[in-house]
Amino acid sequence: MGKDYYSILGVSRDASETEIKKAYRKMALKYHPDKNQSPGAEDKFKEVSEAYEVLSDKDKRAVFDKYGEEGLKAGGGAGGPGPDFGPGYSAGGPGNFTFTSFGGDDARATFSRVFGDSNPFAAFFGGDGMDMDTSGSPPRSGHQGGFHSFSMGPGMGGFGSTGQASHGFGPGGMAFSPGGGPSHQPVRQDSTVTRNLPLTLEELARGCTKKLKINKTIATASGEERQEEKILNVEVKPGWKAGTKITFSQEGNQRPGVLPADVVFIVQEKPHSALRRDGNNIHHTVRLTLKESLCGCTLSVPTVEGSTLRMKFDNPISPSYVHRVARRGMPLSKTPNQKGDLIVHFDIEFPETLTNEQKSTLQRIL
């Protein structure tokens, strides 16, 4: 029994052209080998592409409805000259057409024809991604920050601006035809692009403005491309945590007939040399000698604000002791006037050996 192209796409036999195309787009994106590396995904991608090639063409679909896949392979029966069946199909001379193998290149050709790009998943970063240069000047006071620079080679992915006339889109993303009237064809948007935004604990505690300098590619209907620089400002709010997402709507590459992708930056927390974050609390570990832990000491403890706290301990400090300083941790992002705590731990160095005299002295004192 031959393939059932309707079942492959998950549509009914009386499905409209729009329903068939919608089903293909959904499944092709799901199983595209550039996105889905699981076993069998590429074969499924070829299969849904083959099904779409048949059902999206009225001649192919008519033959399939009447004779099934076997009828296509057998030549479609007698009659006039066979139609041009596109990728995977060829004319078999007067009176019939023949069904040939449908391979990966044919599937990609179908995908490219429907989506306008053979690999939309690399539309922004050209497969290798973009290099983030974080060598900008360090934050100064309050909400100042350096530049994060994003650069790409010619013709590769990039970022665009919203509302450019070259998009061919009107209010609400409606497509417009060259004559100025609205087009009822569905408008597709490039896949969302995500990028990491590493921030220090101090930047996350105080808040800052990160300036992202990017080069965008603008393509015209005539095929010309130009590069344009743009600055995106990210207002980092005090208390943000790793995983916070900042979305720039439709700030992707510009090309005719396609809505630019949304660009999402994901906050990453840079490791700190002396502090560790746990929710809204900040932890710091102090290393003490046995003498300091028994006789007392004065410590300078760093904070997320960039300052230091001077702490004096007159009494002995046990290894299990934890010193908590209220409201010197991270601010709560939704209520920044509230803060977590600074929690100080102690790592006490015990001597590996003691002389008899030292032991006697300790026994006499303790």
Side-chain angles (χ1 to χ4, degrees), residues 115 166-169 175-176 186-189 219 221 254-260:
F115 284 89
S166 61
H167 291 177
F169 299 106
F176 278 76
V187 176
R188 80 173 183 89
Q189 182 179 17
Q254 296 181 31
R255 53 191 178 123
V258 180
L259 281 173

Side-chain angles (χ1 to χ4, degrees), residues 1 11 20 22 57 73-74 77 113 132 140 153 169 171 178 185 195 212 219 244-245 257 263 265 290 303 310 326 338:
M1 184 175 179
V11 297
I20 290 171
K22 182 178 180 180
D57 184 279
K73 291 181 178 179
R113 177 164 54 82
M132 177 183 285
R140 295 188 288 269
F169 299 106
Q185 294 182 351
R195 211 65 179 157
L212 311 178
T244 300
K245 296 181 179 180
V263 179
F265 290 95
L290 181 59
T303 69
R310 189 175 177 83
Q338 299 181 26

